[in-house]
Amino acid sequence: MRTFVMCLLVMSVSMPLQSAENAASFFITSNGPGQGADLGGLEGADAHCQQLAASAGVGGKTWRAYLSSSRENARDRIGMGPWHNIKGVMIAGDLAGLHSEANGINRETGLTEQGEMVNGRGDSPNMHDILTGSNPDGTLNEGQTCSDWTSSGEGSAFVGHHDRIGLRDDAPSRSWNASHSSRGCGLEALKATGGNGLFYCFAID
């Protein structure tokens, strides 16, 4: 019996549980590339996700921005799940769960790559508008992508509320990915409606 117990102890030491960092497959960018909704297109947004992930020690995965464009839908860019935040909390098990009201994204779980909360409604400044260009099901909201994420001038971007709070208690206000249009594509225009040029990143592997 003693030998059996010792073997279990050795196995528990040599085979640690998966860390929260290794499980991490979702975060909100702690900052944007700096040009409002001009992210350098999908390629620039993906590269920003990858860079931030690497800075947080989770760069050994393929990261993609949750952004719709005329080329592809956001839901088709991010793999099949499941997804966990940087602290290991499950956000959703699959695409259907992610695009339902029951997903796990909120102010406490919608963390940056550094594990920090993003300012929401009631904070100063409010930064709960997250760029998506998407409808609630993760498909393209046409004309709401700031020229496929290459413009910081005229136009608008569709955004979601990571804290699931808005001016009203209705579905758009509670939506993480499809709440309303921005006033423009520049950083100041995004800030005017409660944003800061942030977006969601998901690991596809």
Side-chain angles (χ1 to χ4, degrees), residues 66 68 99 132-142 158 175 177-178:
Y66 182 91
S68 290
H99 294 96
T132 70
S134 302
N135 296 308
D137 64 355
T139 59
L140 171 66
N141 190 319
E142 193 169 351
F158 221 59
S175 177
N177 68 337

Side-chain angles (χ1 to χ4, degrees), residues 17-105:
L17 295 175
Q18 187 180 36
S19 68
E21 289 78 9
N22 288 338
S25 47
F26 163 86
F27 62 82
I28 299 173
T29 59
S30 59
N31 59 73
Q35 301 296 323
D38 180 358
L39 309 175
L42 293 179
E43 292 80 5
D46 289 345
H48 192 61
C49 287
Q50 201 72 47
Q51 179 182 17
L52 293 179
S55 73
V58 291
K61 301 179 181 182
T62 303
W63 291 86
R64 292 288 181 264
Y66 182 91
L67 296 168
S68 290
S69 76
S70 61
R71 288 167 42 192
E72 57 186 324
N73 298 317
R75 66 176 295 132
D76 299 327
R77 314 192 74 245
I78 60 170
M80 303 303 292
W83 300 281
H84 300 78
N85 72 9
I86 199 69
K87 293 188 176 180
V89 176
M90 180 178 284
I91 296 303
D94 53 29
L95 285 169
L98 179 65
H99 294 96
S100 74
E101 290 191 4
N103 74 56
I105 299 174

